[in-house]
Short mmCIF file of all heavy atoms in Angstrom, two decimals:
data_model
loop_
_atom_site.label_atom_id
_atom_site.label_comp_id
_atom_site.label_asym_id
_atom_site.label_seq_id
_atom_site.Cartn_x
_atom_site.Cartn_y
_atom_site.Cartn_z
N PRO A 12 -88.48 19.35 71.81
CA PRO A 12 -87.30 19.63 72.64
C PRO A 12 -87.68 19.45 74.11
O PRO A 12 -88.71 19.93 74.56
CB PRO A 12 -86.97 21.09 72.30
CG PRO A 12 -88.24 21.67 71.81
CD PRO A 12 -89.00 20.55 71.18
N ASN A 13 -86.85 18.72 74.86
CA ASN A 13 -87.17 18.48 76.26
C ASN A 13 -86.11 19.01 77.21
O ASN A 13 -86.33 19.04 78.42
CB ASN A 13 -87.41 16.98 76.51
CG ASN A 13 -86.26 16.10 76.08
OD1 ASN A 13 -85.26 16.59 75.57
ND2 ASN A 13 -86.41 14.81 76.25
N VAL A 14 -84.95 19.44 76.71
CA VAL A 14 -83.91 20.04 77.55
C VAL A 14 -83.19 21.12 76.75
O VAL A 14 -83.33 21.20 75.53
CB VAL A 14 -82.87 19.00 78.05
CG1 VAL A 14 -83.49 17.95 78.92
CG2 VAL A 14 -82.12 18.38 76.90
N GLU A 15 -82.42 21.93 77.46
CA GLU A 15 -81.54 22.88 76.80
C GLU A 15 -80.11 22.41 77.00
O GLU A 15 -79.69 22.14 78.11
CB GLU A 15 -81.72 24.28 77.38
CG GLU A 15 -82.99 24.94 76.93
CD GLU A 15 -83.00 26.43 77.23
OE1 GLU A 15 -81.96 26.99 77.63
OE2 GLU A 15 -84.06 27.03 77.05
N LEU A 16 -79.39 22.26 75.88
CA LEU A 16 -78.00 21.82 75.94
C LEU A 16 -77.09 23.03 75.91
O LEU A 16 -77.29 23.96 75.13
CB LEU A 16 -77.66 20.94 74.73
CG LEU A 16 -78.09 19.50 74.72
CD1 LEU A 16 -77.49 18.79 73.52
CD2 LEU A 16 -77.71 18.79 75.98
N GLU A 17 -76.06 22.97 76.74
CA GLU A 17 -75.02 23.98 76.71
C GLU A 17 -73.83 23.37 75.98
O GLU A 17 -73.36 22.30 76.34
CB GLU A 17 -74.61 24.38 78.13
CG GLU A 17 -75.73 25.06 78.88
CD GLU A 17 -75.36 25.36 80.33
OE1 GLU A 17 -74.43 24.72 80.87
OE2 GLU A 17 -76.00 26.23 80.91
N LEU A 18 -73.37 24.03 74.93
CA LEU A 18 -72.24 23.55 74.13
C LEU A 18 -70.98 24.30 74.54
O LEU A 18 -70.96 25.53 74.53
CB LEU A 18 -72.51 23.77 72.64
CG LEU A 18 -73.75 23.07 72.08
CD1 LEU A 18 -73.99 23.51 70.65
CD2 LEU A 18 -73.62 21.58 72.17
N TYR A 19 -69.95 23.56 74.92
CA TYR A 19 -68.69 24.14 75.37
C TYR A 19 -67.60 23.82 74.36
O TYR A 19 -67.40 22.67 74.02
CB TYR A 19 -68.30 23.58 76.74
CG TYR A 19 -69.22 24.06 77.84
CD1 TYR A 19 -70.37 23.37 78.15
CD2 TYR A 19 -68.93 25.21 78.56
CE1 TYR A 19 -71.23 23.81 79.15
CE2 TYR A 19 -69.77 25.66 79.56
CZ TYR A 19 -70.92 24.95 79.85
OH TYR A 19 -71.75 25.39 80.83
N ASP A 20 -66.89 24.86 73.92
CA ASP A 20 -65.83 24.69 72.94
C ASP A 20 -64.48 24.69 73.64
O ASP A 20 -64.27 25.38 74.63
CB ASP A 20 -65.88 25.81 71.90
CG ASP A 20 -65.33 25.38 70.56
OD1 ASP A 20 -64.86 24.24 70.45
OD2 ASP A 20 -65.38 26.19 69.62
N TYR A 21 -63.55 23.95 73.08
CA TYR A 21 -62.22 23.75 73.64
C TYR A 21 -61.30 24.92 73.31
O TYR A 21 -61.24 25.36 72.17
CB TYR A 21 -61.67 22.45 73.04
CG TYR A 21 -60.22 22.19 73.25
CD1 TYR A 21 -59.77 21.63 74.43
CD2 TYR A 21 -59.29 22.50 72.27
CE1 TYR A 21 -58.44 21.38 74.63
CE2 TYR A 21 -57.96 22.25 72.45
CZ TYR A 21 -57.54 21.69 73.64
OH TYR A 21 -56.22 21.44 73.84
N THR A 22 -60.60 25.43 74.32
CA THR A 22 -59.59 26.47 74.10
C THR A 22 -58.41 26.22 75.03
O THR A 22 -58.53 25.51 76.03
CB THR A 22 -60.14 27.89 74.39
OG1 THR A 22 -60.62 27.92 75.73
CG2 THR A 22 -61.23 28.28 73.44
N ASP A 23 -57.28 26.82 74.73
CA ASP A 23 -56.13 26.79 75.63
C ASP A 23 -56.23 27.98 76.57
O ASP A 23 -56.57 29.09 76.16
CB ASP A 23 -54.81 26.88 74.85
CG ASP A 23 -54.47 25.58 74.14
OD1 ASP A 23 -54.85 24.52 74.64
OD2 ASP A 23 -53.82 25.65 73.08
N SER A 24 -55.91 27.75 77.85
CA SER A 24 -55.94 28.82 78.83
C SER A 24 -54.77 29.78 78.57
O SER A 24 -53.66 29.36 78.26
CB SER A 24 -55.82 28.24 80.23
OG SER A 24 -55.69 29.28 81.17
N LEU A 25 -55.04 31.07 78.70
CA LEU A 25 -53.98 32.06 78.53
C LEU A 25 -53.37 32.48 79.86
O LEU A 25 -52.36 33.17 79.89
CB LEU A 25 -54.54 33.29 77.80
CG LEU A 25 -55.12 33.04 76.42
CD1 LEU A 25 -55.73 34.31 75.85
CD2 LEU A 25 -54.06 32.50 75.48
N THR A 26 -54.00 32.06 80.97
CA THR A 26 -53.53 32.51 82.28
C THR A 26 -52.99 31.39 83.16
O THR A 26 -52.25 31.65 84.08
CB THR A 26 -54.66 33.22 83.03
OG1 THR A 26 -55.77 32.31 83.15
CG2 THR A 26 -55.11 34.48 82.30
N GLU A 27 -53.39 30.13 82.90
CA GLU A 27 -52.96 29.03 83.76
C GLU A 27 -52.11 28.05 82.96
O GLU A 27 -52.39 27.76 81.81
CB GLU A 27 -54.19 28.30 84.32
CG GLU A 27 -55.04 29.16 85.23
CD GLU A 27 -56.21 28.38 85.79
OE1 GLU A 27 -56.02 27.21 86.15
OE2 GLU A 27 -57.30 28.96 85.86
N PHE A 28 -51.07 27.54 83.63
CA PHE A 28 -50.14 26.62 82.98
C PHE A 28 -49.91 25.41 83.88
O PHE A 28 -50.01 25.50 85.10
CB PHE A 28 -48.81 27.32 82.70
CG PHE A 28 -48.95 28.51 81.80
CD1 PHE A 28 -49.15 29.78 82.32
CD2 PHE A 28 -48.89 28.35 80.43
CE1 PHE A 28 -49.30 30.87 81.48
CE2 PHE A 28 -49.04 29.43 79.58
CZ PHE A 28 -49.23 30.70 80.11
N ASN A 29 -49.59 24.26 83.27
CA ASN A 29 -49.28 23.07 84.06
C ASN A 29 -47.81 23.09 84.47
O ASN A 29 -47.09 24.07 84.22
CB ASN A 29 -49.66 21.80 83.30
CG ASN A 29 -48.85 21.60 82.03
OD1 ASN A 29 -47.83 22.24 81.81
ND2 ASN A 29 -49.32 20.71 81.18
N SER A 30 -47.32 22.03 85.07
CA SER A 30 -45.95 21.99 85.57
C SER A 30 -44.90 22.02 84.45
O SER A 30 -43.74 22.28 84.70
CB SER A 30 -45.74 20.76 86.45
OG SER A 30 -46.00 19.59 85.70
N TYR A 31 -45.30 21.75 83.22
CA TYR A 31 -44.39 21.81 82.08
C TYR A 31 -44.51 23.14 81.33
O TYR A 31 -44.00 23.30 80.23
CB TYR A 31 -44.67 20.67 81.10
CG TYR A 31 -44.48 19.31 81.72
CD1 TYR A 31 -45.57 18.53 82.05
CD2 TYR A 31 -43.21 18.83 81.99
CE1 TYR A 31 -45.40 17.28 82.63
CE2 TYR A 31 -43.02 17.59 82.57
CZ TYR A 31 -44.12 16.82 82.89
OH TYR A 31 -43.95 15.60 83.48
N TYR A 32 -45.20 24.11 81.93
CA TYR A 32 -45.44 25.44 81.35
C TYR A 32 -46.18 25.37 80.03
O TYR A 32 -45.98 26.19 79.14
CB TYR A 32 -44.13 26.22 81.20
CG TYR A 32 -43.47 26.46 82.54
CD1 TYR A 32 -42.35 25.75 82.91
CD2 TYR A 32 -44.02 27.38 83.43
CE1 TYR A 32 -41.75 25.96 84.14
CE2 TYR A 32 -43.44 27.59 84.67
CZ TYR A 32 -42.31 26.88 85.02
OH TYR A 32 -41.74 27.08 86.24
N GLU A 33 -47.06 24.38 79.93
CA GLU A 33 -47.97 24.30 78.78
C GLU A 33 -49.31 24.87 79.22
O GLU A 33 -49.69 24.73 80.38
CB GLU A 33 -48.15 22.84 78.35
CG GLU A 33 -46.89 22.17 77.89
CD GLU A 33 -47.07 20.67 77.68
OE1 GLU A 33 -48.01 20.09 78.24
OE2 GLU A 33 -46.26 20.11 76.95
N PRO A 34 -50.03 25.53 78.32
CA PRO A 34 -51.33 26.09 78.71
C PRO A 34 -52.30 24.98 79.09
O PRO A 34 -52.35 23.93 78.46
CB PRO A 34 -51.82 26.83 77.48
CG PRO A 34 -50.79 26.66 76.43
CD PRO A 34 -49.69 25.81 76.95
N LEU A 35 -53.06 25.22 80.17
CA LEU A 35 -54.08 24.26 80.56
C LEU A 35 -55.23 24.31 79.57
O LEU A 35 -55.55 25.36 79.01
CB LEU A 35 -54.61 24.58 81.97
CG LEU A 35 -53.66 24.28 83.12
CD1 LEU A 35 -54.30 24.71 84.43
CD2 LEU A 35 -53.32 22.81 83.18
N LYS A 36 -55.87 23.19 79.38
CA LYS A 36 -57.01 23.11 78.47
C LYS A 36 -58.26 23.54 79.24
O LYS A 36 -58.46 23.15 80.38
CB LYS A 36 -57.20 21.68 77.97
CG LYS A 36 -55.90 20.99 77.61
CD LYS A 36 -55.55 21.15 76.18
CE LYS A 36 -54.37 20.31 75.80
NZ LYS A 36 -53.15 21.00 75.64
N GLU A 37 -59.11 24.34 78.61
CA GLU A 37 -60.35 24.74 79.25
C GLU A 37 -61.48 24.78 78.23
O GLU A 37 -61.25 24.89 77.04
CB GLU A 37 -60.22 26.07 79.98
CG GLU A 37 -59.95 27.26 79.12
CD GLU A 37 -59.82 28.54 79.93
OE1 GLU A 37 -59.46 28.51 81.11
OE2 GLU A 37 -60.11 29.59 79.34
#
Side-chain angles (χ1 to χ4, degrees):
N13 55 0
V14 298
E15 286 194 10
L16 281 187
E17 295 175 339
L18 301 173
Y19 291 89
D20 208 357
Y21 168 83
T22 57
D23 286 330
S24 173
L25 300 176
T26 58
E27 296 182 40
F28 300 92
N29 65 14
S30 59
Y31 299 106
Y32 298 106
E33 298 171 339
L35 288 177
K36 318 268 188 255
E37 65 180 26

